[in-house]
Amino acid sequence: MLAETLEQVQFSPSKRTTYVRFVLVTLAAMVAFKTFWFARWGGWADRDLADFDAFHIVAQRVWRGDLDQVYHFEALLKMQMEAAGGMTRFMPWTYPPQYGLLLAPFAFLPVGVGYLLFTTATLALYLVTLRAISGVNFAQVLVVLLPALAINIGCGQNGFLTGALIALVCLNVERRQLLAGLALGAMVIKPHLAIAAGVCLLVTRRWIALGTAAAVVLASSLLCTLLFGWQIWFAWLGAIRVSASYLDQGFYPLFRMISTYAALYKAGFPASAAFWGQTAVAGLALFAVVLGTMRGASSKFALGVTVMVSVMISPYAYDYDLPILGIGLALVLPDLPKMASPRERNVIYGLILLAGAYGLLQSALLAAQFGQKADLDQHFAPALGGFALMALLALLLTLLWRRTQPAPALPQAAPQRL
């Protein structure tokens, strides 16, 4: 059984060391390979753009003083075609201006070098924070997360960074609320992934952390206004509106998404029905946060559930956001054997593996079928990752609800006559 195999690793130091070394060597080999790929070395000179290419383009616009242009999709498409040396798939940009400011230093580096530094630095930070949370379960979590980690390395995304920031919130929320608030405020780069953590801090009355996070958001927004002007915010909001219409029309690579919206839309539901399905699941995810923090679960387990449902709230969640799920898994693992049966633990591990491995498999198939210039319009795979996370949410709610129920009364022995 999957659960038994994975959980036995923590009792064998030699096995833990072997598993960790295998995963780390695998990740290092992937980073080296993708560094050459991003650098357009050899046969990869004529390749399609990937996510870090978009980051590099945005970094350059910061120094050119026209960051607002990346939020105008016609202008952005021209920039991406210029970078690709011809036609390429379009990648909309809806990140807040703070993320462009964070990326600015990478404009001075070649794409390949920038990718190497960005990926290794964020991966190292993520692994350090994951190790601090998971303890002896580190090897077990790494094995379950390996597909999700590979996805981030493959496209140069920021899942390691957001996962590490959420991990820093969890590590510091009990005793160092100021540091937790700084980390939560830094999640302004991807605010939809911080909603659950914010609700958790609100329910548990972590006012210092919430106040610090709000101060970080306000201060960074003021800095962006001073650097880029008021128009940057209007441009950003306009890009979000256009992006929402793209989502309604299915223009995004929905098979890579892990949201309920993507799962239902790709299953044939109309956009309106998929949206209401997403709304319902987001409500249940936030209910899980409140249920865990208010009713009976340990603080660590409740925090782990909060982190795990973070990726279930927004319709824009992708498979490269799954490292956050690994932080939540590391938090719940100590209590999981007491709260879930072996079969339920099998399902939990399997669903997380499925969500990550499915995206990795589809990306590999896409590259194999269409070569260097991927054609997403011809790829009709369903969004199974979204269904996997819906099932995971249902199971987490079941565990929490079971925890809140009173234990059945034991039968009392009849009194004996003297």
Side-chain angles (χ1 to χ4, degrees):
M1 295 176 67
L2 180 60
E4 182 179 357
T5 302
L6 289 174
E7 291 167 359
Q8 286 298 319
V9 174
Q10 64 178 298
F11 302 112
S12 173
S14 61
K15 285 187 177 180
R16 291 203 306 268
T17 301
T18 300
Y19 278 48
V20 170
R21 286 178 178 174
F22 169 77
V23 172
L24 294 183
V25 169
T26 301
L27 296 179
M30 291 178 182
V31 171
F33 172 79
K34 292 303 295 189
T35 297
F36 288 114
W37 188 89
F38 273 99
R40 297 179 180 273
W41 182 78
W44 296 302
D46 181 30
R47 63 167 177 83
D48 203 355
L49 296 186
D51 295 71
F52 187 80
D53 292 301
F55 295 173
H56 195 258
I57 291 171
V58 170
Q60 292 174 329
R61 308 318 295 194
V62 171
W63 297 103
R64 295 184 182 183
D66 59 355
L67 181 64
D68 60 301
Q69 290 301 303
V70 303
Y71 297 114
H72 300 287
F73 290 168
E74 290 185 3
L76 180 59
L77 176 59
K78 293 180 181 178
M79 299 176 200
Q80 293 178 356
M81 291 176 61
E82 180 181 349
M87 291 300 299
T88 184
R89 63 185 179 92
F90 176 57
M91 292 178 286
W93 186 263
T94 55
Y95 284 96
Q98 287 93 328
Y99 191 52
L101 198 59
L102 177 67
L103 293 172
F106 293 98
F108 299 101
L109 299 172
V111 175
V113 177
Y115 162 83
L116 177 62
L117 291 179
F118 178 81
T119 302
T120 53
T122 55
L123 175 58
L125 178 62
Y126 177 78
L127 292 176
V128 167
T129 54
L130 179 64
R131 177 68 178 84
I133 290 175
S134 56
V136 296
N137 296 316
F138 184 52
Q140 178 181 345
V141 178
L142 279 183
V143 172
V144 176
L145 280 184
L146 182 56
L149 303 182
I151 289 171
N152 270 268
I153 292 173
C155 59
Q157 255 292 344
N158 52 30
F160 299 140
L161 177 58
T162 54
L165 289 174
I166 292 295
L168 288 172
V169 174
C170 298
L171 286 168
N172 295 289
V173 70
E174 293 286 345
R175 298 182 180 179
R176 296 178 290 271
Q177 287 195 48
L178 184 63
L179 293 179
L182 290 173
L184 184 62
M187 281 296 293
V188 68
I189 63 174
K190 260 190 174 178
H192 58 282
L193 297 179
I195 295 173
V199 171
C200 180
L201 294 182
L202 182 64
V203 172
T204 55
R205 300 180 182 181
R206 309 287 184 181
W207 306 122
I208 295 177
L210 285 172
T212 304
V216 170
V217 173
L218 291 174
S220 63
S221 298
L222 177 59
L223 178 60
C224 289
T225 304
L226 293 174
L227 292 175
F228 308 125
W230 284 103
Q231 71 272 10
I232 195 68
W233 301 108
F234 296 108
W236 176 51
L237 293 175
I240 291 176
R241 286 194 295 269
V242 176
S243 178
S245 69
Y246 282 10
L247 189 65
D248 286 342
Q249 300 172 66
F251 289 165
Y252 280 91
L254 298 180
F255 65 92
R256 289 282 310 279
M257 288 186 169
I258 54 174
S259 66
T260 299
Y261 178 91
L264 296 179
Y265 190 98
K266 290 291 284 184
F269 287 84
S272 58
F275 172 79
W276 285 113
Q278 177 67 56
T279 302
V281 168
L284 288 172
L286 294 178
F287 174 68
V289 174
V290 176
L291 187 64
T293 54
M294 301 290 288
R295 300 283 299 277
S298 70
S299 59
K300 195 169 184 180
F301 190 89
L303 189 58
V305 170
T306 296
V307 174
M308 294 179 81
V309 303
S310 296
V311 296
M312 305 175 189
I313 295 174
S314 171
Y316 290 94
Y318 276 91
D319 49 14
Y320 50 69
D321 294 318
L322 287 171
I324 288 180
L325 198 63
I327 300 297
L329 177 63
L331 285 164
V332 304
L333 274 178
D335 292 324
L336 201 58
K338 297 179 291 185
M339 298 185 63
S341 67
R343 178 176 296 179
E344 289 170 330
R345 301 200 301 275
N346 274 329
V347 173
I348 290 173
Y349 302 145
L351 289 173
I352 296 174
L353 278 167
L354 172 62
Y358 181 75
L360 185 64
L361 175 63
Q362 292 303 320
S363 298
L365 290 176
L366 186 64
Q369 290 174 3
F370 304 115
Q372 301 280 31
K373 300 290 184 178
D375 189 348
L376 299 180
D377 294 334
Q378 298 183 36
H379 200 68
F380 300 105
L384 292 186
F387 288 113
L389 292 196
M390 281 190 276
L392 180 60
L393 175 60
L395 186 51
L396 291 174
L397 283 168
T398 300
L399 297 180
L400 289 172
W401 187 257
R402 183 191 302 160
R403 183 75 174 183
T404 64
Q405 302 308 300
L410 295 175
Q412 296 183 354
Q416 296 181 353
R417 292 185 178 182
L418 298 177

